[in-house]
Every structure is written in C-alpha cells, then in structure tokens.
Amino acid sequence: MRVAIAGAGAVGRSIAGELLENGHEVLLIDKAPSAISVERVPLAEWLLADACEITSLDEAALQRCNVVIAATGDDKVNLVVSLLAKTEYGVPRVVARVNNPKNEWLFNESWGVDVAVSTPRLMSALVEEAVSVGDLVRLLRFSQGDANLVELTLPPEAALAGTRVGDVDWPEDTALVTIIRGTRVLTPNKEDVLEAGDELLFVAAPAREEQLEDLLSVRREDAAG
C-alpha cells in the first residue's frame, strides 16, 4: 500500500515509521526544509514541497496513493490537502488530523475526509477509558457513513454479563468489532459469552450511542435500588 503523509513533524514521522514497519510504501511531504530529516525515517520517500499546491501533489503522484494522511499542525492545511486528495486525485482513503477540537465539524466528507482524528479528543478519550467502567467513550469519528468508534468496559453488574453475543438484540446501525479481554483481542462470534470487565469496541451511528450505552448498563433492579 502506498501512503502519502503531509506533514513531516513528530506526528507524521511517527506514523511513517509504523507504516514502514508494517511493509507499506510511505512518502513524507513538508514545505519546511528543517522538517526534512531523512536520517530519522530513512526508508521513506521525502518531498520538500507545499502539499496545498497542485504542482506539488502532481510531483508526489498522489493518484497512485491508496491513502493520504493530512498530519500537519495546521487545520486549514489539513483540510485543503484532504479536499485536493479526494477531489483532484481520487484517493480512496483520506485521514486528517484535527488540532483544534472546535474545528471538528469541518472534517467531513464535504472536505474529502474519511476519518478525522482529533488528537486532543483522543487523548481525553483514552484518559476517560482508563478510569471509567460502564460509560461509553467515543474514540474516533468516521466522516463517511456518519459513524463513530466507541468503547465501553462492561461493569460487573451489567445486565449482559454472561450473555452470548448472538443472543443480544443489538441496536440498529451498530457493530461489535472487538472484545478485549485481559491481554487477549477477540474477534467476536455468536458463541462468545460477554464477561464483566470486557472492553467492547463498536462502530456505531451517533444516534444509537445512547441506546447502546443503556443496553450495556447495570441491571435494572440494581440501578433502581
């Protein structure tokens, strides 16, 4: 897979390193000469250019990329890169970094963004996830399809503890994608039994999040008592 990353700062280089380790082809683009640190990610391609310029993206052969990641520290730049990647070059998957949570509403399919990653929101979500049991935590927003990646740790008194996955009447527009149980990562099937302490990851429509949280909450009689 060929991936172009706009922004060769700490975030962009870190992403590039992970992708290269997984066997992908990576191009890092940055207009600041000081950011071009080939020795830090020697296996990547490097391009000193302005990713907001069509001529630069032509030079980068963006049409050959499977994924473009807009990872600069400037939300305006990330939006422009995302829009150009999607509309001018037809890149199948565009991931954009959101630096200011106030700008999250802009990072959607209208601007060519398939997945918006808000660093501040993700950090706060991970903090919440670490300390909360029984509360739904939003980890990631997918612009296309109007869906979120959400997490909930099943509390000991949850109504569904001890229930088979296939016996649960899950809300519409939700999908249980992973069960994290201790050090194990499980791909759920109908026969798996939910256990207290399971970390459940769902892809869910925002309108279904409250219904999903209610379903996974404490037992009715316990809550009433």
Side-chain angles (χ1 to χ4, degrees):
M1 183 171 68
R2 179 174 172 80
V3 182
I5 302 173
V11 173
R13 293 195 306 269
S14 177
I15 296 169
E18 291 286 339
L19 291 171
L20 287 165
E21 284 185 10
N22 291 329
H24 301 296
E25 181 183 350
V26 176
L27 168 65
L28 280 161
I29 308 170
D30 206 297
K31 67 178 181 179
S34 59
I36 305 300
S37 304
V38 178
E39 68 281 359
R40 294 190 179 184
V41 194
L43 297 180
E45 298 176 48
W46 289 80
L47 178 62
L48 176 61
D50 186 346
C52 292
E53 297 288 343
I54 289 289
T55 53
S56 300
L57 300 181
D58 285 343
E59 186 178 354
L62 221 66
Q63 70 278 2
R64 292 177 41 228
C65 292
N66 306 100
V67 180
V68 165
I69 302 173
T72 79
D74 188 325
D75 285 347
K76 297 187 294 296
V77 170
N78 291 342
L79 284 171
V80 171
V81 171
S82 298
L83 185 63
L84 291 175
K86 184 66 70 175
T87 60
E88 297 296 325
Y89 298 91
V91 176
R93 192 72 164 170
V94 177
V95 179
R97 172 187 176 187
V98 186
N99 296 279
N100 187 340
K102 293 181 179 179
N103 296 329
E104 280 186 351
W105 66 277
L106 288 166
F107 285 74
N108 55 40
E109 59 184 1
S110 298
W111 280 92
V113 178
D114 295 309
V115 180
V117 181
S118 173
T119 305
R121 185 175 295 280
L122 182 57
M123 291 180 68
S124 64
L126 291 172
V127 170
E128 291 177 15
E129 185 271 332
V131 299
S132 62
V133 173
D135 294 325
L136 200 70
V137 177
R138 184 179 299 172
L139 298 177
L140 193 67
R141 179 173 62 84
F142 300 96
S143 297
Q144 287 194 347
D146 191 26
N148 297 320
L149 177 66
V150 298
E151 181 274 347
L152 186 140
T153 300
L154 205 63
E157 66 276 19
L160 292 183
T163 305
R164 292 192 320 144
V165 170
D167 292 335
V168 180
D169 186 16
W170 301 108
E172 293 183 5
D173 302 322
T174 66
L176 175 63
V177 294
T178 304
I179 300 172
I180 301 176
R181 181 174 296 160
T183 59
R184 300 175 61 200
V185 178
L186 308 176
T187 301
N189 62 59
K190 293 182 179 181
E191 300 303 319
D192 284 326
V193 176
L194 298 174
E195 297 181 4
D198 282 352
E199 186 176 345
L200 308 177
L201 272 67
F202 296 86
V203 173
R208 301 294 183 183
E209 289 180 3
E210 184 175 351
Q211 185 178 354
L212 183 61
E213 187 169 24
D214 288 343
L215 178 66
L216 296 167
S217 64
V218 300
R219 300 182 189 277
R220 296 292 184 268
E221 60 268 23
D222 292 345

